[in-house]
Amino acid sequence: MTSFVREPQLVEIEGVEGSRTRKIGWNGKTLKEMLKESEELFQKTGRYYGLEKLEYKEQNPLVYERIFALIRGSLVSARETSMNISASPIVQELGELCFTLYSPEGDTIAISTGIITHVRTMSDAVKWMIRNDYEENPGIAPGDVFCNNDVFIGNCHTADVHTIKPIFWKGELVAWAGACIHGLDIGAVVPGTAPVGPTTCYEEGLKVPCEKIGENDTIYKYWEVRCERLIRNPIYWKLDEKARLAGCDIIRNAVHKVIKEIGIENFKRFIREAIEDGRLSVLEVVKRTMIPGRYRSASFGDVTFKGSKRVPARAAKDTVMHMPMEMTIKPDGKIIIDFDGASKWGYHSFNASPSAVYGGLYSISSEIIWPSDKINAGLSLVFELKLPYGSILNPESTLPCTVFSWGSFITGLNGLFRSYSRGYFSRGFIEEVLAGMTVCHNLMSGGGKDHLGQESAMFNFEFASSGLGARAFDDGLDHAFAMFNPEADMGDVELWEIVEPLLYLGRRVQPNSAGPGKFRGGNGFESVRMLWKTNNYELMWMGISIFTSGGLFGGYPAAGGYRREIHNTNMMELIKNKEPYPYREFDPENSEIRKYVKGDYVYEKRMIIPPEILFNQGDLYINSVRGGDGYGDVLERDPERVAKDVNEESILFRFAESTYGVILERDETSGKWKVNREKTEKKRKELREERGRKAIPVREWIEKTRSRILRKEVCQEIKEMYNDSFRLSERWGKEFREFWGLPEDFFF
Ligand code: MN
């Protein structure tokens, strides 16, 4: 590629004697000057780079579309190619990677399929390098390779490692190629890439704040050595890095090809218009499909470190994360998302940053409101995020641990599903309504001496197939949804078994994992895993155990998770004697596992657990992936759907009556359950009457709840949660106190 590249000119910086910088921006400007100009023009005109018209697009509509398709195609092709270079199932099977093209100022032009989140995060990283004078030190030249995984610079968690490369044309930086891959290990104090246990930045493992890790398209030797020594699975790390580099080269080739075809000046016009085009198209969707106004949804998550010996004393407590979200849609289509009232950051692994929240916003918005191939920086220009300073979504320092920030921001952004859906519903776009996303965990993660006798780490990504929330016209899809990647996939069990010292005894739909409703959410699934050829392995639990969301329009939230592990089992004996063994739990109250397996059972509802008990061969870990939220009143569900659910083992028999008021009886010939219409109608009538008896006027309920608040009758964790919000957000506290008629200085 060097044939296209001229050595950049060295220019003296004004007023600084002896300093030399490469003015690598357009028309003799620095990138910093370009970024400043771009931001000022947007500030002044409200349009990207002040573009009044999309002239290039208007004059060459077909070329414009073809060039966009060519660039987008090269990004997708970079992704497909590099999936075959990496050896990690997270990449090969699940496609947890993406490739992106950025403008010189760091604004996204186009993105491949994959983890959409990084349309924004690497953009933040490029802008950070520009703002921090990387043009002067360490310098930016053709063939340079930068690496970043710092959440406070631009990322959603340290597991997502970025490779960023500048693309030059005749001495000018014309674009940046970005690649991101979710790795298997990050070298934290506990193994895996969603390590539960680190509580500050000092325990996070390998953190790379936009470092130059190579030049002339070659990685520095010392970088390779450093990664070899600090990462548990260096072979996977190295191949992931090669995969990212290869993809970036494909993108650079494509950009050079486009420039040769349409000329550099047209390319420059094209990339700016593509971003403004993106902005206009999001505005158009919002204006067409939603009603302006204020939409509010609160979400919650918990951290269960109380009594843990694996975290420092100050962290060993249970806390509840509070993330009230207010979305305001302006008449012009702009959207403000305000997390005023969010909890303070904490000593755990789940603190986020503005870049992470923006990334999550992209994931959800591109799946729910903007399912387009032209996702780019245009979306950022429509949204304004307000994240209280000092909160879990915007900490005031870089001390908080962000190793798995998804734990908080994915939970907080849950409110976005309900808010968008209410917007759609009020405008009549009923087919777009989605009851909500459950937080898809459990995330199974761990490490130790594996089945190959090596010290390694694992991060099982099968949670990328959780249940979709219910729609307003049908149930959610079973195990077919990932909010972070539009192409949900759980991966083949055989591939996971290659990298993990655990066998799959079974993988089945988990009944009742979805939220009930007129339309139920999609179900999640459970995997029964047995430790294999290891006697020294640590596994952790990473799943919110409380309800993260509330379901929609009377539908119920998806089920909370629970921890299920069994140690010192008789599994090896069962296998030796060729006796039956369990392949699922099915019904936790009548567990099929307990029928066969003797051992020390650890069952509990707390779900955020650092590695505590060492696992040995024959021990079991039952992983479960959540279902989606429900939509509408359960008593309005078609009884035939309930019978089908019971027959297909999507819900347990006893819930047909208790939840849905549907009475089933056996069909003698087929052996299947069928609806007894008469008894069902009677039962539902009784349930409705019971609701009537229990109901009280809202005024009365408010008064009752108010006196409960005044008596402070809530558990300690909830008291601390509210007090945190009061302290951080004056406005939110004032509104809460006014609503409940509390004294101005009220604290729990
Ligand atoms: Mn990731």
Side-chain angles (χ1 to χ4, degrees), residues 176-196:
W176 298 82
C180 172
I181 289 183
H182 184 118
L184 269 170
D185 184 67
I186 196 65
V189 287
V190 289
T193 42
V196 176

Side-chain angles (χ1 to χ4, degrees), residues 96 157 160 182 406:
E96 195 62 7
H157 58 168
D160 287 344
H182 184 118
W406 288 87

Side-chain angles (χ1 to χ4, degrees), residues 134-147:
Y134 271 38
E135 285 164 273
E136 289 172 43
N137 180 3
I140 301 167
D144 279 356
V145 188
F146 295 89
C147 181

Side-chain angles (χ1 to χ4, degrees), residues 58-287:
E58 278 162 25
Q59 286 161 14
N60 314 276
L62 295 181
V63 178
Y64 176 89
E65 293 298 334
R66 196 168 58 76
I67 296 300
F68 197 96
L70 211 150
I71 287 174
R72 158 105 172 145
S74 77
L75 296 167
V76 175
S77 146
R79 180 168 177 266
E80 294 294 324
T81 308
S82 53
M83 275 162 83
N84 291 307
I85 296 171
S86 166
S88 149
I90 297 175
V91 178
Q92 285 199 325
E93 285 280 289
L94 289 117
E96 195 62 7
L97 74 167
C98 71
F99 289 86
T100 314
L101 185 70
Y102 300 96
S103 76
E105 304 86 353
D107 297 310
T108 318
I109 302 159
I111 182 167
S112 69
T113 46
I115 3 171
I116 301 296
T117 314
H118 298 290
V119 75
R120 171 70 193 216
T121 60
M122 284 186 277
S123 162
D124 288 328
V126 172
K127 285 175 197 276
W128 189 89
M129 290 194 277
I130 296 172
R131 291 202 173 96
N132 283 278
D133 300 309
Y134 271 38
E135 285 164 273
E136 289 172 43
N137 180 3
I140 301 167
D144 279 356
V145 188
F146 295 89
C147 181
N148 176 58
N149 75 343
D150 191 320
V151 173
F152 290 117
I153 289 176
N155 205 358
C156 54
H157 58 168
T158 38
D160 287 344
V161 182
H162 303 160
T163 295
I164 301 171
K165 290 191 72 181
I167 302 175
F168 280 79
W169 180 265
K170 297 188 176 167
E172 276 182 354
L173 188 147
V174 288
W176 298 82
C180 172
I181 289 183
H182 184 118
L184 269 170
D185 184 67
I186 196 65
V189 287
V190 289
T193 42
V196 176
T199 59
T200 64
C201 63
Y202 307 110
E203 301 146 61
E204 283 187 332
L206 187 63
K207 199 157 178 177
V208 193
C210 283
E211 285 181 37
K212 192 193 271 198
I213 60 159
E215 57 190 4
N216 296 321
D217 299 327
T218 310
I219 298 292
Y220 296 138
K221 188 76 201 160
Y222 48 75
W223 170 253
E224 285 188 31
V225 174
R226 183 179 165 200
C227 298
E228 249 171 43
R229 294 186 180 189
L230 287 176
I231 301 293
R232 288 181 183 84
N233 300 0
I235 181 71
Y236 293 110
W237 174 279
K238 274 187 181 176
L239 288 169
D240 281 354
E241 190 148 76
K242 283 184 198 300
R244 289 192 296 268
L245 282 168
C248 285
D249 283 357
I250 291 174
I251 300 165
R252 183 173 58 186
N253 287 351
V255 166
H256 285 161
K257 194 176 156 202
V258 168
I259 294 173
K260 277 204 273 184
E261 187 189 325
I262 62 171
I264 184 67
E265 288 313 310
N266 284 336
F267 177 77
K268 290 177 176 178
R269 283 160 73 190
F270 167 81
I271 63 176
R272 287 185 179 165
E273 289 192 14
I275 294 167
E276 174 64 3
D277 199 10
R279 188 186 74 86
L280 293 171
S281 88
V282 184
L283 279 180
E284 165 62 24
V285 172
V286 177
K287 277 195 282 186

